[in-house]
Amino acid sequence: MLSQQDLDSLVNLLKEPNKPFEAIAMQFYKLFAKPDQFKAGCVICMLLQDKLLTQTQRLVGFYLLYDIYRQDTLPTTPFVPLVVEIVEQTSDVVERKFLLQFLSSMPKELPKQSVQSFLQSCDPLEHVPIPDLDAFRRMHAESSPGVSPGAALGIRPSLNDRSDEGFWVRPDDDASAGLELSPEELTLLSLEPAWSRPVPPLLEPTVDEVFWLTPPQLLSEPLWDYTMCADTSLGAEVRELIAKAVKTPLPPAQCTIIYSGLEQDAKLVYHCGLTPKKLPELVEHNPQIAIEVLLKLMGGSQISNYFTALVNMEMSLHSMEVVNRLTTAVDLPPEFVHLYISNCISSCESIKDKYMQNRLVRLVCVFLQSLIRNKIINVHDLFIEVQAFCIEFSRIREAAALFRMLKTLEQGNAQTK
């Protein structure tokens, strides 16, 4: 890669914390001719990846990697992947800020600064946002030459000794001391994995295989797939209309097509494209279709997910219409009905617009009266919550009527006991 003399010169050049970056770069170009600058850059990459440099030495190395290809476009710079990787992995805020300048735009005053002055100007507690690094990877992958898959999986053929007896740092030197490196340790050659491709063995035939090769008799009649020519256009049309129904109200003719398709094929409801996430939109735009679909889904394993979506959606006339219709058609879980009522009451209490609040309170009161008359809910389970709701909105006629109904039921139960 580099001779021992060039390697020592490069290591000494990295230990210049008080010189301006541009002065260090000029000295670098005097030491290394154009053909050797890439080799020196590769050596700097290895020292950075093996974490053999101090913070100031790393910043000088990063600047040299940038300055070598300063005249080229960013996607064609060979050291972009290393910079992107270190930006993601480093915990040093100053180092990350220093590297992000290379990916965006270099400040005009940076080349005239030294490493020490740059460190003094940086706030270690400053939050540095990270841009979309995948975009830099894609640009580099599109512009750089391809690498064979085997070479891409290779690893460095040498391992660094990090023990106390290691020769990387002299024990009697400080952290910025010179590194005793061997040129043989710094190479771009990789140790690639060996791919074993043994010939597959011949397996002994089983009894079933022998029986299949020598059938005792031939089948004289073909087996016909009667579903092969079946008309699937109705299912496709229903899925298309369901996708449209979650966005806009459908005319009666198209609603009839959906009802007919769900009636003809009981399994079509599981393949019509309606997910729990889309259910609130269908309820708001086409509540009748939502009712039919939910009735067809009753008994399925996913019905609880649809109930959850229905309970958590924003309260409206259509959602109460759907819930009221379901309560009269099937037996809904009591916890679902109670949770929906609690959410309705909470929505009325949290709304700020007085007109909309009065309107929603009337709807909820009428809805609760219907559930109580039809004996869908046991009012004693929600008596305290509903009574407090009626008292809070007693100025509204429907709330006062609901309160009187609760008192009548309470007195009737007391007389029965």
Side-chain angles (χ1 to χ4, degrees), residues 190-326:
S190 61
L191 183 63
E192 301 175 7
W195 300 101
S196 178
R197 298 179 177 87
V199 178
L202 294 178
L203 302 177
E204 293 293 332
T206 63
V207 177
D208 295 339
E209 289 176 323
V210 175
F211 176 79
W212 174 251
L213 292 175
T214 57
Q217 60 182 3
L218 296 177
L219 299 177
S220 57
E221 296 183 0
L223 297 177
W224 183 257
D225 184 4
Y226 292 96
T227 63
M228 184 172 58
C229 298
D231 184 14
T232 59
S233 58
L234 180 58
E237 187 176 7
V238 169
R239 285 190 291 271
E240 181 179 351
L241 291 177
I242 289 291
K244 185 178 178 181
V246 300
K247 299 177 181 179
T248 183
L250 296 185
Q254 293 181 343
C255 294
T256 303
I257 295 176
I258 295 178
Y259 302 151
S260 177
L262 296 177
E263 190 66 30
Q264 293 181 27
D265 186 358
K267 295 183 179 180
L268 182 59
V269 70
Y270 300 103
H271 310 287
C272 65
L274 180 65
T275 61
K277 185 178 180 180
K278 297 179 181 179
L279 179 62
E281 299 177 358
L282 180 63
V283 170
E284 289 301 323
H285 292 104
N286 294 276
Q288 292 300 323
I289 296 178
I291 292 171
E292 292 297 327
V293 172
L294 290 173
L295 289 176
K296 296 293 183 182
L297 288 169
M298 289 297 174
S301 59
Q302 298 295 323
I303 189 61
S304 59
N305 296 333
Y306 290 90
F307 282 160
T308 303
L310 186 59
V311 167
N312 294 328
M313 70 175 290
E314 186 176 354
M315 190 196 71
S316 65
L317 175 60
H318 286 171
S319 70
M320 284 190 286
E321 178 184 355
V322 172
V323 174
N324 189 42
R325 176 69 175 84
L326 291 176

Side-chain angles (χ1 to χ4, degrees), residues 330-342:
V330 295
D331 293 331
L332 294 180
E335 60 273 11
F336 159 71
V337 181
H338 293 171
L339 181 58
Y340 183 78
I341 294 173
S342 298

Side-chain angles (χ1 to χ4, degrees), residues 23 37 45 71 91 97 105 172 198 217 239 248 259 267 310 318 321-322 327 340 363-364 375 381 397:
Q37 292 173 8
C45 289
Q71 304 299 330
S91 59
K97 180 180 180 180
S105 60
D172 56 345
Q217 60 182 3
R239 285 190 291 271
T248 183
Y259 302 151
K267 295 183 179 180
L310 186 59
H318 286 171
E321 178 184 355
V322 172
T327 56
Y340 183 78
L363 292 175
V364 172
K375 298 181 180 180
D381 298 336
R397 181 179 57 187

Side-chain angles (χ1 to χ4, degrees), residues 25 97 101 143 285 353:
K97 180 180 180 180
Q101 296 177 137
S143 304
H285 292 104
D353 190 319

Side-chain angles (χ1 to χ4, degrees), residues 179-203:
L179 303 176
E180 291 187 358
L181 300 177
S182 171
E184 290 77 14
E185 301 290 340
L186 302 173
T187 174
L188 287 178
L189 298 177
S190 61
L191 183 63
E192 301 175 7
W195 300 101
S196 178
R197 298 179 177 87
V199 178
L202 294 178
L203 302 177

Side-chain angles (χ1 to χ4, degrees), residues 151-187:
L153 294 175
I155 60 174
R156 291 280 302 281
S158 60
L159 298 176
N160 301 330
D161 185 3
R162 297 298 182 87
S163 64
D164 295 338
E165 292 77 17
F167 60 89
W168 294 107
V169 181
R170 297 189 183 95
D172 56 345
D173 291 338
D174 57 15
S176 62
L179 303 176
E180 291 187 358
L181 300 177
S182 171
E184 290 77 14
E185 301 290 340
L186 302 173
T187 174

